[in-house]
Amino acid sequence: MGARRFYLLTLLLAALLGSAPALAERQLADMSGRLLTLPDTVQRVYAIGHCIPVVAAVAPHKLANNYRLGERALALLAPALREGKVMPAQGMRFSDEEIVTMAPDLIVMEAMPGAGERADRLQEKLKIPVLLIEQDLRDFKRTFHLLGEVLGEPAQAQVLADFVATYLDPIPQLAKRIAPAQRKRVYYAEGPDGLSTNPAGSSHTQVLDFVGGVNVAQVANLPDEGMSSVSLEQIYVWQPDLILVWTPAAEQATTWTAIVDNPLWQRVEAVRSGRVVQIPWLPYSWFDRPPGSNRILGVIWLAELLYPEVYHFDLEAVTREYFSTFYHREPSAEEVRALLALSRPQAGRATP
Amino acid sequence: MNPPSARLAPHLLLRPFGLCLLLALVFAASFAIGRYPVPPLTALQVLAAEILPLDAHWSQEVEAVVLGIRLPRILAALLVGAALSISGTAYQGLFRNPMVSPGILGVSAGASFGAALAILLGYGMAGIQAFAFAGGLLAVGASAAIGAGLGRHGDPLLVMVLAGIIVGTLFTAFVSLVKFVADPYNTLPTITFWLMGSLDTVEMADLALAAWPILLGGAVLQALGWTLNVLCFGDEEARALGLETTRLRLLVIVCATLVTAAAVAISGIIGLVGLIVPHLARMLVGPDHRLLLPVAAALGAGFLLLVDDLARSLFAVEVPLGILTSVIGAPFFLYLLGRSRRGWA
């Protein structure tokens, strides 16, 4: 009975493997302070939701899964991020059994409020250690170092942390020096019609707060997932200096078009004078959703967009460096220009 | 048992008159309510300038706020409030049950599924509305077909209500399925907000489309007012009076469904209005559908307009309308219920 023998062998092997890590494992605290027991060398990581970009940056070969991305997004990633990744059939959720089938030896999850308990339960159920990491823009250096240590990529983690130290770290200091009168007031337009937003303080608009922009929606105590509706007349009252447009179905620029083509929006000065900016969305959004390490480039892009006289970034050079460091593939000069042109959909439509 | 008299008692007509005055007042006041400051008088002048030759001394912003933003929204609140109340009244009469709401045959669940699917597929507002409308009709069509098919030997109404509950549950499950597979960053919040109900995305073009089924269905229901009265007494009495009950009942269901599905398509799910407004209307003018239907329409229109005024003016970001109607409507209704000694139907 070949099949039975095979099962027996598998069982034996599983039992052996189950006891083996006792020889080669280590203890380590994650970013919420939970103590974890990890295998000495982690081979395969399942990154939950918006932890995908950060794990991809540190150890592309070890990442087991990826978002279901379009052709244009995939073309910008290194082969290590395109090939052999498990992708959800729809949306981005995997069932417990799909996770087990993926056979990761580590799960990486974001340290959101209440995540500790969820991580413990998941870990208990799947018998796979769950590592919690911070994705606040101010924590990324620590996150990279921790992931570098856990995944055995300390050198790459150092490169990533250096990128953050060079470009991101000076920003809050410079932002503090911008006079209140000089601060740009920004409306973040979400939803198919642009009449949904996330107010200041939300994790979805942290990039804006970080570079010293003022979110016109100052509303306390809203659920963080946000997308609260706003009436257009409220936007008349706010009269933002700039409108940032989110990125669903961005290929068609649905929301951007809904705003720019609607005569009622023309009563907003920013729309009349063409200051409606589409957030670049390749390979992931640069600003939000997922709120992961993809936002690091968004910080630099938005800083330069709002206050070129304060920050003086060479956007093309930084974009190229970011893509080769975080997505492991150096884009051509033409690709970089096309990426930056995504923020102006009409100009973007002209280029193929 | 006598059928209801063919004439309406004159003393009952006084209250609807007062109601209409009140509605007109709320309607006018609504143009002056909102986040953008517009003086009440200016708001009315902007409106009047559409028909009268007035000098425009106001800014373009004010004109855009009053005519472009508030007018469609106010009309939408009136239309949706009236639609939900009319269909609620018709259903409660038809099923002879005070607990029935417009969603009883699954129209809301079907519309929710249609809308969620359209959002998942990345369609714009027009697609969402079309899918919601079609989903609502599909769900009620399924309930009615099951009711007609299985109810032949029993109580067809009871079977239809049961079928409606089952179909509704099924479509709610489909909504959950769509939410489950939806991208939690972009699609899921959009679906969740649509399900909470709101009028902030309604534009004149949407209104013009949705108004047809609502006005048509409402007019036919109004014409069937006396028939509804008779149907309330039960099938045997209705047949004794020479009514083709099965066909008439189907006609009422078709009309009420058209009305509800069109309303839900532009507003999302707005709870409680279709359930409580018929009762409030009955407290005011009694159970005669010829008067009850228009009074319920006016009451529902006024109620939803008032609540939407709050939804769009309380905070800088809007409170979803479906939440407010329930939070305000439920205690208000219980209060009236405690005070009223009038019967149900």
Side-chain angles (χ1 to χ4, degrees):
Chain A
M1 301 303 286
R4 180 168 295 173
R5 191 171 301 159
F6 173 74
Y7 281 131
L8 276 174
L9 263 174
T10 327
L11 265 177
L12 199 69
L13 210 68
L16 268 175
L17 282 176
S19 58
L23 302 171
E25 63 184 20
R26 52 197 163 139
Q27 288 231 317
L28 190 133
D30 72 8
M31 292 179 82
S32 71
R34 294 161 63 249
L35 210 60
L36 293 184
T37 305
L38 299 176
D40 209 26
T41 45
V42 173
Q43 296 298 345
R44 204 166 151 78
V45 182
Y46 165 52
I48 298 185
H50 33 274
C51 295
I52 291 174
V54 70
V55 175
V58 176
H61 297 279
K62 294 188 173 176
L63 180 63
N65 59 308
N66 202 343
Y67 298 111
R68 180 157 290 280
L69 295 170
E71 283 298 314
R72 287 180 77 188
L74 286 173
L76 292 161
L77 302 176
L81 282 172
R82 268 182 276 142
E83 289 151 15
K85 302 294 181 215
V86 184
M87 291 179 195
Q90 262 289 353
M92 51 185 67
R93 283 166 221 250
F94 291 104
S95 71
D96 290 345
E97 298 198 11
E98 281 173 309
I99 298 171
V100 173
T101 313
M102 222 184 281
D105 38 18
L106 180 70
I107 297 175
V108 175
M109 194 195 247
E110 183 176 343
M112 288 183 286
E117 198 193 324
R118 274 191 296 145
D120 286 342
R121 259 186 286 143
L122 190 65
Q123 181 169 310
E124 189 55 37
K125 190 162 57 172
L126 302 183
K127 308 293 176 210
I128 302 166
V130 178
L131 182 84
L132 291 181
I133 56 163
E134 289 285 353
Q135 298 240 50
D136 190 293
L137 286 169
R138 289 158 297 199
D139 291 322
F140 269 121
K141 275 185 294 181
R142 279 170 52 220
T143 305
F144 289 135
H145 284 307
L146 176 71
L147 280 175
E149 187 190 341
V150 169
L151 304 179
E153 297 280 354
Q156 171 64 8
Q158 189 60 51
V159 173
L160 296 166
D162 286 346
F163 185 96
V164 172
T166 313
Y167 296 110
L168 243 52
D169 283 358
I171 288 179
Q173 276 304 320
L174 289 167
K176 234 180 264 171
R177 268 188 260 151
I178 302 168
Q182 303 296 312
R183 293 195 179 233
K184 295 278 168 46
R185 300 172 60 260
V186 178
Y187 172 70
Y188 179 33
E190 297 178 276
D193 54 2
L195 287 175
S196 307
T197 197
N198 274 298
S202 154
S203 74
H204 294 287
T205 47
Q206 202 201 355
V207 172
L208 180 59
D209 301 341
F210 194 82
V211 302
V214 178
N215 190 335
V216 289
Q218 299 280 343
V219 187
N221 302 326
L222 276 175
D224 195 49
E225 251 344 286
M227 303 263 294
S228 318
S229 345
V230 173
S231 160
L232 189 50
E233 59 183 277
Q234 178 65 53
I235 298 167
Y236 287 11
V237 175
W238 281 331
Q239 285 298 342
D241 300 317
L242 185 99
I243 295 173
L244 275 181
V245 181
W246 79 328
T247 48
E251 297 285 352
Q252 298 100 33
T254 336
T255 310
W256 190 87
T257 318
I259 292 174
V260 173
D261 288 353
N262 187 331
L264 285 175
W265 276 91
Q266 296 303 319
R267 301 265 62 82
V268 180
E269 171 61 31
V271 180
R272 268 204 305 272
S273 42
R275 293 194 303 273
V276 184
V277 178
Q278 172 70 59
I279 295 162
W281 67 90
L282 290 173
Y284 318 111
S285 168
W286 292 18
F287 182 80
D288 170 31
R289 299 177 203 267
S293 63
N294 44 312
R295 293 175 302 158
I296 291 174
L297 179 57
V299 168
I300 298 158
W301 168 77
L302 189 65
E304 185 63 24
L305 178 75
L306 293 185
Y307 309 110
E309 70 288 354
V310 176
Y311 294 113
H312 311 292
F313 286 116
D314 177 351
L315 266 188
E316 290 192 12
V318 181
T319 304
R320 190 173 319 111
E321 187 181 343
Y322 178 89
F323 269 74
S324 40
T325 314
F326 284 73
Y327 301 132
H328 315 282
R329 178 182 169 279
E330 173 141 359
S332 67
E334 202 171 314
E335 280 173 321
V336 168
R337 274 195 295 278
L339 280 168
L340 291 170
L342 292 173
S343 62
R344 302 183 303 276
Q346 242 146 15
R349 269 179 217 158
T351 58
Chain B
M1 200 182 280
N2 289 322
S5 69
R7 281 255 181 107
L8 290 167
H11 73 274
L12 285 178
L13 290 171
L14 220 60
R15 283 173 169 173
F17 184 69
L19 186 67
C20 285
L21 270 183
L22 207 66
L23 183 61
L25 206 68
V26 175
F27 177 73
S30 296
F31 284 97
I33 297 174
R35 301 297 299 178
Y36 193 90
V38 179
L41 201 61
T42 315
L44 294 181
Q45 281 170 327
V46 173
L47 272 183
E50 284 296 285
I51 24 177
L52 303 173
L54 284 182
D55 279 336
H57 61 80
W58 48 82
S59 66
Q60 279 183 304
E61 278 73 20
V62 167
E63 183 162 331
V65 164
V66 173
L67 295 177
I69 299 174
R70 289 183 192 166
L71 179 64
R73 187 141 179 187
I74 288 167
L75 293 180
L78 292 176
L79 202 61
V80 170
L84 293 176
S85 307
I86 289 175
S87 61
T89 308
Y91 274 145
Q92 286 181 5
L94 184 73
F95 291 111
R96 304 199 298 272
N97 187 330
M99 290 182 296
V100 164
S101 70
I104 185 77
L105 294 181
V107 64
S108 311
S112 302
F113 171 63
L117 194 65
I119 296 170
L120 183 72
L121 297 175
Y123 293 151
M125 295 314 299
I128 295 173
Q129 287 164 4
F131 268 59
F133 186 67
L137 296 190
L138 182 72
V140 177
S143 305
I146 295 171
L150 299 181
R152 224 170 291 148
H153 307 298
D155 180 348
L157 279 188
L158 184 67
V159 175
M160 198 181 290
V161 170
L162 277 174
I165 292 172
I166 300 298
V167 169
T169 312
L170 187 66
F171 275 94
T172 309
F174 291 159
V175 173
S176 301
L177 181 70
V178 173
K179 286 168 89 172
F180 178 71
V181 299
D183 159 12
Y185 302 125
N186 296 327
T187 320
L188 187 59
T190 315
I191 295 175
T192 311
F193 269 86
W194 191 90
L195 291 178
M196 284 190 232
S198 175
L199 294 172
D200 64 341
T201 54
V202 178
E203 286 171 17
M204 275 304 196
D206 311 330
L207 271 178
L209 265 180
W212 284 109
I214 292 178
L215 293 179
L216 186 74
V220 176
L221 285 176
Q222 180 61 42
L224 288 173
W226 183 78
T227 311
L228 268 171
N229 288 346
V230 179
L231 284 175
C232 280
F233 281 84
D235 274 17
E236 280 171 30
E237 285 79 358
R239 284 207 197 94
L241 283 163
L243 290 186
E244 272 257 28
T245 50
T246 318
R247 247 185 243 169
L248 283 171
R249 206 181 290 125
L250 198 65
L251 185 59
V252 172
I253 290 175
V254 167
C255 292
T257 304
L258 274 181
V259 168
T260 324
V264 173
I266 57 172
S267 71
I269 305 303
I270 291 173
L272 216 66
V273 176
L275 177 66
I276 67 169
V277 169
H279 292 295
L280 298 181
R282 263 191 294 272
M283 287 178 195
L284 271 180
V285 295
D288 185 340
H289 283 86
R290 288 169 300 169
L291 190 54
L292 187 58
L293 282 168
V295 165
L299 256 181
F303 175 71
L304 201 63
L305 183 54
L306 263 180
V307 176
D308 190 52
D309 285 347
L310 286 179
R312 63 194 172 87
S313 61
L314 276 182
F315 304 107
V317 297
E318 301 201 5
V319 189
L321 186 56
I323 297 177
L324 268 192
T325 51
S326 297
V327 169
I328 294 174
F332 177 62
F333 180 58
L334 290 177
Y335 166 75
L336 284 184
L337 206 58
R339 279 186 41 144
S340 166
R341 295 189 171 275
R342 214 179 272 270
W344 284 104

